[in-house]
Each structure stands twice: as C-alpha cells, then as structure tokens.
Amino acid sequence: MPAIGHLTKPALANDTLARGRLRAALIPDCLIEAQRVANIVTAGWHGRRKRGIGDNFWQLRQFTEGESVSQIDWRRSARDDNLYIRDNEWETSHTVWLWADLSPSMFFQSDMSDVSKDSRALVILFALAEILSRSGERIAMPGVMEPTLARNGAERLAQALMARKLVKADNELPDLSKITNIADIILISDFLGDAEKLFERIAPATKHHIRGHLVEINDPAEEVFPYSGRVEFSEPETNSRIVAGKAGMLADDYKQAFANRRAALREQIRRIGWSYNTHRTDRPASEILVTVHRFLAGQIEAKNKLHFETGTI
C-alpha cells in the first residue's frame, strides 16, 4: 500500500545520490535530538545492575562463612572488626540489533507534521542506541555496524551510517539470517511494503527464537486522509502518480483499508511472539521510546535470568 500525499522532497525519490546526501545531512541533527530525547526518557531509570562476574565495582558487603577469602577487601576490613567482600557488577551484555527504513517512502512529510518519517525514524534509532549503550548492552545494525559495546554507541552508529554509501539494499528489509545468538531486533519503518517479504525476512530470526519489535512510523495525513477536491498523489517507490478529482470521496474507504492493513499486520506479528507498536510523527518521540523500552527491558531481564539459572552465561 503506497504512502499517500505529496512528498516534500519529490526529486529525491529516485535519485540515489541526492538521497544519500540528504541522509548524511540529517544524521548530526537527528543524533543531537536523539540524545535529548534519551535524557528525558531515562530520567530516573537505573541500569541493569546485579552482583556477579565483571570488572566494575558494585558494592561492599559483610563476609559470610563459606565464601572465598580471596574476595575479602582487606583495606576496608581493617577499619573495624568486620570482614568485607568487594562485589563487582555482573556484566551480561545483550545484543540489540537496530534497523531504520531509509527507503523513498520514508521521505514523506505532510503539512500536518513538522518532521518527515525518515527524520523521526533516525531519532528513534539513535535514541534507542543511546539508551541501550548507557545500560551496557551491545548494539548493532545489519549491514552497517557489527555488535558494539561502548558508552558512545549512538555516535558510533551515526558515524557508520554517514560513512556508508547508499546502495540498492537500503531500499530493502535487512538480512536477519545471520543473527543466531541471544539478541533482540527492533525494526523501524512505515511497513507499507509487501507483507510477505517482511515475514520472509523475519522468518530466520524466529527460527532461532529471537524476539523482535516492530515500530510503525506514520505521518498523521496517512491516517486521517485530510484531502479534498482535486489532488495528485505520488507513489514514492516508483514515482507513479494518480489524480483524484474528488479526493474527499475516497476518505472513508481509504481509512478503513489503512486500519485493516495495520490490524492484520499487528495480529500476524503477535502470533510469532513479537511486539508491534505504532507512532505518528506529530507525537513526541519519547512516547514510543518508553513503550519499546518496556517491552525490551522485560525480555532482556527474562533471558538473562534464564541463562544465569541454566549456567549458559
């Protein structure tokens, strides 16, 4: 189902070089906005901290009989009559694969929104990278960046995207077949393409019991269809155009078709155990970040608990 309305940057739809330059120009501002949003979302949150194997100091606690004497912090113990153990933080990095759709349909922006879909997708991508990196998780992007564990993960991802030349594959869904270890996948797109192709790309990951989260990005005009009178609509992927003499007469049928498409896709995603959330570009990016983080945090914690109990980490 094509995006509807007028592209604010129509010449870019089929101009690979121009699209690549625009993406590179967007990234610095989107990164700054993403860091601002990440600060808002993570205010009051605390990272995943627990006692275990690691290099970072976590806490001092009193020695109990049966524990290894080598763990005693003798300097601290010399201050009073008690013996103290120096615990380090349990470091169990989880990999989260992030991907944002940068195909032509994502350039869409109506008068009802201050930002385009691709701009908002990049902000969400970098904000997630920022939050996850701060929490000690590995982040990666298929075809762009291998799993990276660093506090400046968002900046590294931005640099990798800016250095990458736009290629034909950027118009397609990512290859998820090589992701076989403990991981989560977050896909950010308008998902207006072929649903069968989407599930073909998702299938390898589901076979390895990897959990995923889809974030559907839409311009408000794509939901409410605010058009009337004579309107020319363009399909950004193919640049084909149609003219509606009385666009207002299409509104009810269009909105029903849009809602049906979304409901069917959400139900299919739910059946495979993945989450599906929607976000409009006229809403704050922080809203969808909170939603995705709740899904993600619960799954990461559950996986870490399972592997800790079974001794696989």
Side-chain angles (χ1 to χ4, degrees):
M1 184 175 180
I4 295 205
H6 297 288
L7 284 173
T8 57
K9 299 161 278 192
L12 296 172
N14 293 313
D15 189 332
T16 301
L17 179 59
R19 286 171 44 223
R21 287 174 175 170
L22 178 65
R23 183 183 67 185
L26 272 177
I27 287 174
D29 288 341
C30 288
L31 178 60
I32 293 172
E33 174 65 10
Q35 290 170 332
R36 184 190 69 80
V37 173
N39 288 335
I40 294 173
V41 172
T42 57
W45 286 359
H46 299 282
R48 198 169 36 84
R49 298 172 63 87
K50 56 187 72 179
R51 178 164 55 89
I53 299 172
D55 298 321
N56 297 322
F57 170 73
W58 181 36
Q59 68 175 3
L60 284 167
R61 61 180 176 82
Q62 288 194 14
F63 173 82
T64 57
E65 187 176 353
E67 293 187 291
S68 173
V69 175
S70 64
Q71 293 179 282
I72 296 176
D73 187 321
W74 294 106
R75 179 176 295 181
R76 174 63 185 87
S77 300
R79 297 179 190 176
D80 54 41
D81 296 330
N82 296 310
L83 294 177
Y84 292 91
I85 293 289
R86 182 182 179 88
D87 278 335
N88 289 334
E89 185 176 352
W90 182 38
E91 296 177 353
T92 55
S93 296
H94 182 90
T95 299
V96 180
W97 291 83
L98 306 170
W99 177 80
D101 185 356
L102 300 174
S103 64
S105 71
M106 295 296 287
F107 283 103
F108 181 71
Q109 178 184 348
S110 73
D111 294 337
M112 298 180 69
S113 177
D114 293 330
V115 298
S116 59
K117 293 192 292 183
D118 61 330
S119 176
R120 180 53 57 83
L122 285 170
V123 167
I124 294 171
L125 177 80
F126 293 143
L128 284 168
E130 181 78 9
I131 293 170
L132 291 165
S133 295
R134 291 179 188 177
S135 301
E137 311 296 351
R138 288 189 180 90
I139 61 168
M141 185 170 180
V144 176
M145 188 175 81
E146 291 300 309
T148 300
L149 178 61
R151 292 284 294 180
N152 65 339
E155 289 91 337
R156 293 191 180 193
L157 178 56
Q159 291 170 359
L161 272 173
M162 290 182 71
R164 177 180 168 81
K165 293 182 179 179
L166 196 68
V167 296
K168 184 178 180 180
D170 287 336
N171 292 344
E172 301 174 356
L173 290 160
D175 180 6
L176 307 179
S177 62
K178 298 180 180 179
I179 305 176
T180 58
N181 57 347
I182 303 171
D184 274 76
I185 297 170
I186 301 176
L187 305 179
I188 306 166
S189 174
D190 54 18
F191 299 111
L192 292 174
D194 188 337
E196 290 187 8
K197 289 183 179 180
L198 171 63
F199 283 94
E200 285 176 6
R201 289 300 179 98
I202 287 176
T206 58
K207 289 180 180 178
H208 290 100
H209 306 291
I210 293 171
R211 298 292 292 270
H213 314 270
L214 273 60
V215 178
E216 179 190 310
I217 306 290
N218 292 119
D219 185 281
E222 292 177 314
E223 285 192 4
V224 303
F225 198 86
Y227 307 105
S228 61
R230 181 182 175 84
V231 180
E232 181 182 82
F233 298 100
S234 61
E235 207 292 321
E237 303 287 347
T238 64
N239 208 30
S240 60
R241 299 171 182 273
I242 61 171
V243 176
K246 296 181 179 180
M249 296 180 65
L250 304 175
D252 290 342
D253 289 341
Y254 168 83
K255 286 188 283 188
Q256 186 62 55
F258 188 92
N260 290 344
R261 176 204 62 86
R262 175 180 284 173
L265 190 53
R266 178 183 279 122
E267 177 59 21
Q268 288 177 284
I269 291 297
R270 186 193 64 79
R271 288 178 181 176
I272 63 173
W274 287 28
S275 72
Y276 191 93
N277 291 283
T278 62
H279 173 71
R280 275 178 30 166
T281 57
D282 60 339
R283 301 295 304 166
S286 57
E287 291 182 351
I288 189 63
L289 283 170
V290 170
T291 300
V292 173
H293 184 272
R294 285 173 179 165
F295 275 100
L296 195 60
Q299 290 182 8
I300 289 176
E301 187 65 26
K303 286 181 180 180
N304 286 335
K305 183 175 185 295
L306 172 64
H307 289 278
F308 177 70
E309 291 173 346
T310 57
T312 57
I313 57 174

